[in-house]
Amino acid sequence: MKTLLFLTAILIIGCKAHKPEFEANYELIDASEDDTIGCATPCNLKNKATIPKHVDSYIKRFLKTAKNEAELYNIPVSIKLAQGILESNAGKSELSRKHNNHFGIKYRGTGKYAVYKDDTPRDRFQVYRSAWFSYRDHSKLLCMERYSHLRKLSRTDYKSWAYGLKKAGYATAPHYAKSLIKVIETYKLYQYDK
C-alpha cells in the first residue's frame, strides 16, 4: 500500500512539475473534455492503453525520418521521437507549428530565429524551413563535442541516452531524462531501436 501511495505521489508531482517548454505560447485543449489531450507526455493518460491521437499521428508522421536519422547519425529512434514529442508537445506547440522547430533548439547565429519565453523571457529559437530540417539539425547538434559521450552508447540503450542528454545540458528541466524515458516506455518507442 505504501508503494502504491508513493508511486501515485510521484506521478502527480511529476505531472504537475512538467511544464511545456513554451507554456505561454501553447493553446491547449481543456483536459476535462478528454484527459488524453493537451499533454504530449504521459501525465494524463491514467493507465489507458490507447495513445492520444495527436501523439500517434506524430509518431506515424516522423517515424521514417527518425529511422533515417538513426542510421545516418547513430541516434536511437526512440530518443529522437521522444524528444520530438516532449519538446514540441507532439507537434502542437507554437514553435513547431509556426517555425518547424520540434526539438526546442536555440538559435546558433545563422538563419532566422523566433523569440519565446523559456529560460529567459526572450530566448531565441532556430526557425526551420520544414520539420525535416529540424530533425536533421537535431542530429547534427547531437554530434557536437558536448554530446560526444553519447556516441559511445548503444542505439538500443535509450535510458543511458536520456540521462546522457540531461547530463550534457540538453534541457534545464530537472527530470528531463525521466520524462524522456516515460514517453519512450509509455508509447513503446523502444521497439523502433532494433
Side-chain angles (χ1 to χ4, degrees):
M1 184 64 176
K2 286 181 182 179
T3 305
L4 181 60
L5 289 173
F6 176 73
L7 292 174
T8 303
I10 287 177
L11 182 61
I12 291 169
I13 290 168
C15 290
K16 289 182 179 177
H18 172 72
K19 293 181 182 175
E21 291 292 316
F22 312 103
E23 185 176 63
N25 299 307
Y26 277 154
E27 193 173 303
L28 296 178
I29 297 169
D30 182 5
S32 63
E33 294 174 22
D34 180 350
D35 64 1
T36 65
I37 297 177
C39 180
T41 61
C43 294
N44 54 9
L45 289 180
K46 296 181 183 171
N47 297 323
K48 290 186 178 182
T50 60
I51 297 176
K53 192 180 286 186
H54 71 286
V55 175
D56 188 50
S57 296
Y58 189 91
I59 293 167
K60 287 176 181 172
R61 179 178 176 199
F62 293 109
L63 180 58
K64 184 176 180 181
T65 301
K67 285 181 175 180
N68 289 338
E69 294 298 295
E71 289 301 316
L72 287 170
Y73 293 94
N74 202 35
I75 299 165
V77 174
S78 62
I79 287 290
K80 190 73 126 167
L81 288 172
Q83 283 195 279
I85 290 166
L86 195 61
E87 296 286 343
S88 75
N89 194 15
K92 294 176 77 90
S93 74
E94 185 174 333
L95 187 64
S96 65
R97 287 183 293 109
K98 289 186 176 180
H99 306 293
N100 293 309
N101 188 329
H102 287 253
F103 298 95
I105 297 174
K106 300 275 176 81
Y107 180 67
R108 295 191 309 263
T110 59
K112 295 181 180 180
Y113 65 86
V115 177
Y116 287 86
K117 180 181 183 245
D118 187 36
D119 296 326
T120 68
R122 298 197 46 83
D123 282 329
R124 294 176 178 183
F125 291 88
Q126 195 71 43
V127 171
Y128 297 99
R129 288 184 286 171
S130 72
W132 181 87
F133 285 99
S134 177
Y135 267 73
R136 175 55 52 92
D137 198 32
H138 176 258
S139 297
K140 289 179 178 179
L141 177 75
L142 296 186
C143 287
M144 295 174 72
E145 186 61 31
R146 176 181 184 176
Y147 302 101
S148 63
H149 64 284
L150 297 174
R151 290 191 285 269
K152 298 171 189 164
L153 300 173
S154 166
R155 259 190 13 212
T156 59
D157 189 0
Y158 65 87
K159 289 181 182 179
S160 292
W161 270 82
Y163 284 106
L165 285 166
K166 175 58 184 156
K167 180 180 177 183
Y170 187 91
T172 57
H175 302 290
Y176 189 73
K178 289 179 182 179
S179 296
L180 281 178
I181 292 166
K182 186 79 168 165
V183 168
I184 290 167
E185 292 177 349
T186 299
Y187 303 133
K188 297 179 175 60
L189 300 178
Y190 50 77
Q191 69 183 309
Y192 304 119
D193 289 336
K194 297 175 183 177

